[in-house]
Amino acid sequence: MLHKLTNEQLMIQSMVRDFSRKVVAATAAERDQTKEFPWDNLKKMGELGLMGMMIPPEYEGQGADTISYVLALSEIAYSCASTAVVMSVQNSIVCNSIYEFGTEIQREKFLKPLASGKIIGAFALTEPDAGSDPVRQSTSAVKDGDGYIINGEKRFITSGKNAETIIVTAKTDESKMHKGISAFIVQKGTPGLIVGNIEDKMGLRASDTTDLIFENCRVPGENLLGKEGDGFKIAMTGLDSGRIGIAAQSIGVAQAALDAAVKYAKKRKQFGQSISKFQGLRWIIADMATELEAARQLMFFAASLKDRGEKYTTQASMAKLFASEMVNRLTAKALQIHGGYGFIKDYPVERFYRDARVFTIYEGTSEIQRIVISNNILKDNRSPR
Ligand code: CAA
């Protein structure tokens, strides 16, 4: 730990751990099969104040710091990564963006129901032909009287089907590259907003990932978030915070995989003794625990910089890069320790392995994180600390 957790942070962690292991864990394996959206978990999480944790109480959030948020998110991911990704997008990219860039009217109208967890939100940036390079997106927003008409297609949108409020980016000026992208708040039910294909995924199966199609979708001018041309900055700022969240999700799943591997290794007997007595396996467990701890410290470091109001883009990318690659190594090792039992659905490591796979991909691939980190280090002509 970089510093001792405060009593309040420890209380939040303990409250969420208790809730997660009693309530969220109970249906995680079943949801992975049925793909049922975790509405009941999310409703309770809203009541516990987990859906707008870092938003001030006057907008129905909890006013918690980022350390408390990552502790809570890791605890939810420990039990169900599908539930955790919905919490992560809601807190990091949706609520924070409206709080930071929204007008007072937008905060009242859109942020309050999101931060209190009454509704779910989504952030629509990615397109079929613009993933790592969102500047070259083709969705457009054309001024029409006092509003805008949006046309285009967004892809891989977390909570796209279940979200009531969606932040969507679109080009308002083709000639200006990233400075020509704007962000709009669009509500479910707006004519011309269509939920398209719902993806059938390898992991995070209880969280919906969809196409969103905008066909002459008219939004009022007051739904422009920030100013015209602020959309790319809003997305990048949201992703900085989001990437700490992906580190937290990775750490939650990695801790669950390590705990499952230790439990299994202690119980399983081969060659006349518990397999946990074999040095080959003990060294694997030592490496797993060490990597996990290193990732946790990177996550805490990025979160504490954010809490202190310092620049944290580089550290958020480092935490996301290291933690998401770490959890893929750890879940593979945990599965290997389970032998043949790791490959079947009776044990949770099979789900952990599948759920973790996307963490090196969404909210910026590992390759994008390396671009962000190296760009910032080379620009500053020094390592970030
Ligand atoms: N914060 C604020 N502003 C930033 C910023 C940041 N972190 N990063 C860049 N910017 C600003 C720059 O300052 C620059 O502005 P000025 O010209 O005014 O100085 C502008 O943005 C352009 O910066 P770059 O030249 O660095 O931009 P680029 O086109 O080279 O792209 C990139 C940079 C890092 C590759 C970026 O495009 C990127 O992060 N790509 C990955 C996108 C991504 O993560 N997608 C995930 C989809 S969302 C998702 O997965 C959510 C979900 O549902 C789970």
Side-chain angles (χ1 to χ4, degrees):
M1 271 300 302
L2 289 163
H3 61 89
K4 200 167 167 289
L5 292 177
T6 63
N7 284 344
E8 196 186 337
Q9 289 162 345
L10 287 168
M11 244 170 55
I12 291 173
Q13 183 186 39
S14 150
M15 181 270 286
V16 182
R17 180 172 294 174
D18 194 52
F19 166 76
S20 176
R21 296 192 192 182
K22 278 192 193 133
V23 179
V24 179
T27 56
E30 190 187 323
R31 283 181 205 284
D32 174 58
Q33 293 295 294
T34 60
K35 298 197 269 180
E36 190 190 334
F37 191 69
W39 279 120
D40 39 359
N41 289 343
L42 294 163
K43 185 170 175 292
K44 289 178 195 138
M45 285 160 63
E47 287 158 11
L48 291 173
L50 301 181
M51 299 307 280
M53 283 187 75
M54 295 168 287
I55 301 301
E58 68 253 43
Y59 302 108
E60 300 194 16
Q62 294 302 305
D65 59 10
T66 314
I67 298 274
S68 302
Y69 166 62
V70 293
L71 288 169
L73 184 55
S74 296
E75 291 299 335
I76 298 294
Y78 185 95
S79 302
C80 178
S82 294
T83 304
V85 69
V86 182
M87 173 180 167
S88 178
V89 168
Q90 175 107 350
N91 276 273
S92 303
I93 330 186
V94 179
C95 285
N96 278 359
S97 299
I98 300 179
Y99 177 64
E100 208 166 317
F101 295 94
T103 60
E104 210 43 48
I105 295 169
Q106 289 170 340
R107 287 173 170 185
E108 283 291 325
K109 185 172 171 190
F110 301 114
L111 182 57
K112 282 186 169 180
L114 285 162
S116 57
K118 291 192 184 75
I119 62 166
I120 297 299
F123 195 99
L125 173 72
T126 301
E127 298 186 356
D129 296 318
S132 291
D133 184 11
V135 170
R136 283 169 182 79
Q137 62 185 269
S138 54
T139 297
S140 65
V142 176
K143 197 105 173 99
D144 175 58
D146 59 354
Y148 292 85
I149 298 195
I150 305 179
N151 277 292
E153 188 178 344
K154 297 289 176 180
R155 178 145 297 167
F156 299 145
I157 306 309
T158 301
S159 306
K161 172 170 167 266
N162 293 300
E164 291 283 334
T165 295
I166 299 151
I167 301 175
V168 58
T169 59
K171 288 208 149 168
T172 38
D173 187 341
E174 184 72 45
S175 67
K176 287 189 181 158
M177 295 301 283
H178 69 273
K179 288 193 171 124
I181 295 172
S182 303
F184 299 89
I185 303 171
V186 185
Q187 284 183 290
K188 191 178 191 171
T190 305
L193 166 61
I194 301 151
V195 177
N197 181 43
I198 300 171
E199 304 294 350
D200 188 11
K201 297 174 295 181
M202 169 182 179
L204 303 187
R205 288 171 59 77
S207 130
D208 58 298
T209 303
T210 76
D211 284 355
L212 288 178
I213 298 150
F214 294 84
E215 265 178 20
N216 293 323
C217 178
R218 191 176 194 287
V219 293
E222 69 250 27
N223 285 24
L224 173 70
L225 187 59
K227 299 189 299 300
E228 263 194 31
D230 279 352
F232 190 70
K233 187 171 73 183
I234 292 171
M236 290 299 114
T237 308
L239 283 168
D240 280 349
S241 159
R243 286 165 185 166
I244 306 180
I246 309 303
Q249 290 170 50
S250 302
I251 282 151
V253 174
Q255 185 69 63
L258 176 61
D259 290 355
V262 167
K263 185 173 160 202
Y264 182 84
K266 281 182 167 173
K267 211 177 77 204
R268 175 76 171 168
K269 284 202 173 85
Q270 291 290 280
F271 303 101
Q273 61 176 351
S274 157
I275 60 169
S276 67
K277 299 264 190 276
F278 292 108
Q279 191 181 52
L281 193 138
R282 296 176 83 91
W283 285 14
I284 294 172
I285 289 194
D287 286 344
M288 289 166 78
T290 306
E291 283 194 70
L292 172 55
E293 201 50 47
R296 205 189 314 271
Q297 297 307 322
L298 279 173
M299 171 187 76
F300 279 139
F301 186 39
S304 60
L305 286 178
K306 178 168 179 281
D307 285 337
R308 295 204 295 265
E310 293 183 34
K311 269 178 74 179
Y312 67 96
T313 300
T314 311
Q315 287 76 12
S317 281
M318 287 175 171
K320 199 267 185 193
L321 169 64
F322 188 80
S324 63
E325 299 212 330
M326 173 280 299
V327 70
N328 276 278
R329 290 191 292 272
L330 248 73
T331 50
K333 286 176 184 168
L335 196 152
Q336 186 71 18
I337 288 170
H338 281 71
Y341 293 106
F343 195 60
I344 59 175
K345 290 186 186 291
D346 294 3
Y347 286 82
V349 284
E350 180 267 347
R351 171 166 53 90
F352 301 155
Y353 181 79
R354 286 184 288 106
D355 283 343
R357 189 60 195 87
V358 76
F359 296 163
T360 62
I361 299 170
Y362 67 16
E363 300 210 13
T365 60
S366 287
E367 293 70 31
I368 287 295
Q369 306 315 322
R370 290 184 174 99
I371 289 175
V372 172
I373 297 163
S374 58
N375 278 354
N376 286 330
I377 289 173
L378 291 163
K379 189 173 66 192
D380 294 346
N381 201 24
R382 60 180 171 86
S383 93
R385 280 280 131 187

